[in-house]
Amino acid sequence: ACWAVALLIKTQAIIFAPVLFVATLRRHGCRSVAQGGALAAALLAAGGAPMALAGQGPGMAQAYIGAVGRFPQITNRAYNLWYLVTLGAGRSDLDRALGPLSYRLVGMLLLGGAALLACAALWRRNDGPARVEAAAVVALAFFMLPTQIHERYLFFSLAFLALRAPSDGRVLIAYVILVASATLNTLGALSGFSPAATAAIASSPLPVTIAAVNLVVLAA
């Protein structure tokens, strides 16, 4: 139910679907997956009905179905894997990256692989801390691995790391690093906060360094 509400607010909540599916299946079985799926579908329909009745159905559908490809750059100011690979170049993510594979497809495959690893670990150990860690990994992978990512998407992982940090010092270290990284990425990408800071960060090695550090945190 909470996931369906989140999905109505922000389409990016879809990234948690694999974690919810595996966690529910592992803990409660197929029947609960069906019940939870039906509840989520009902809430999504109820939330979307007013928009559809107001004639905004096509626009709402576009927001969900057409989200991928709306900003078809390799990176949209995010200090992630692709910033590190291309040094922030604003090329199209449909350019070839590996043989016939585009940057967009490679990013999707990497994200899918990270989600599979998180879900495989979650299948083996399905306690509360493991579920929070899996959500944090998937959220951070969503920032780091696909193309078209904005700087603000790094914040998705911080809520889950904050839940886990009090009981695991290693996660606290990751949390502190990513808070600093997210702050510097925001200042470096958006000049509205501090034009001087944006100019200083953009002209320094910080963006590439931060991208590398973020990648190490994801691997850890």
Side-chain angles (χ1 to χ4, degrees):
C2 291
W3 174 71
V5 172
L7 194 58
L8 285 168
I9 296 170
K10 195 72 174 174
T11 57
Q12 285 83 351
I14 191 67
I15 63 173
F16 298 113
V19 173
L20 283 172
F21 175 79
V22 171
T24 306
L25 181 64
R26 180 72 170 78
R27 192 178 186 194
H28 300 293
C30 295
R31 182 176 180 180
S32 288
V33 170
Q35 290 174 336
L39 175 60
L43 284 172
L44 288 171
M51 296 288 289
L53 292 173
Q56 300 300 317
M60 188 174 183
Q62 176 63 22
Y64 286 88
I65 299 170
V68 175
R70 186 176 298 172
F71 303 100
Q73 286 82 34
I74 294 175
T75 178
N76 272 292
R77 307 183 303 267
Y79 298 163
N80 59 11
L81 170 67
W82 298 114
Y83 195 101
L84 194 62
V85 169
T86 66
L87 300 179
R91 301 202 305 270
S92 168
D93 68 343
L94 293 177
D95 291 348
R96 290 186 177 184
L98 292 174
L101 304 181
S102 67
Y103 286 98
R104 184 183 300 180
L105 183 56
V106 171
M108 290 291 191
L109 291 173
L110 289 172
L111 176 59
L116 282 174
L117 285 174
C119 288
L122 189 58
W123 186 262
R124 293 180 59 189
R125 184 170 70 88
N126 191 244
D127 54 21
R131 291 191 290 273
V132 173
E133 288 171 10
V137 168
V138 170
L140 184 55
F142 175 69
F143 174 79
M144 289 299 301
L145 303 178
T147 58
Q148 307 184 29
I149 298 299
H150 296 277
E151 72 290 334
R152 61 186 179 274
Y153 294 168
L154 180 51
F155 289 101
F156 292 170
S157 63
L158 296 181
F160 299 100
L161 292 173
L163 284 172
R164 188 70 177 97
S167 56
D168 191 327
R170 297 169 302 174
V171 177
L172 178 60
I173 294 171
Y175 175 78
V176 171
I177 290 172
L178 292 180
V179 165
S181 169
T183 302
L184 290 170
N185 198 161
T186 300
L187 289 173
L190 304 176
S191 60
F193 291 100
S194 172
T198 300
I201 292 170
S203 62
S204 74
L206 265 177
V208 172
T209 303
I210 293 169
V213 169
N214 288 342
L215 193 60
V216 171
V217 173
L218 174 61

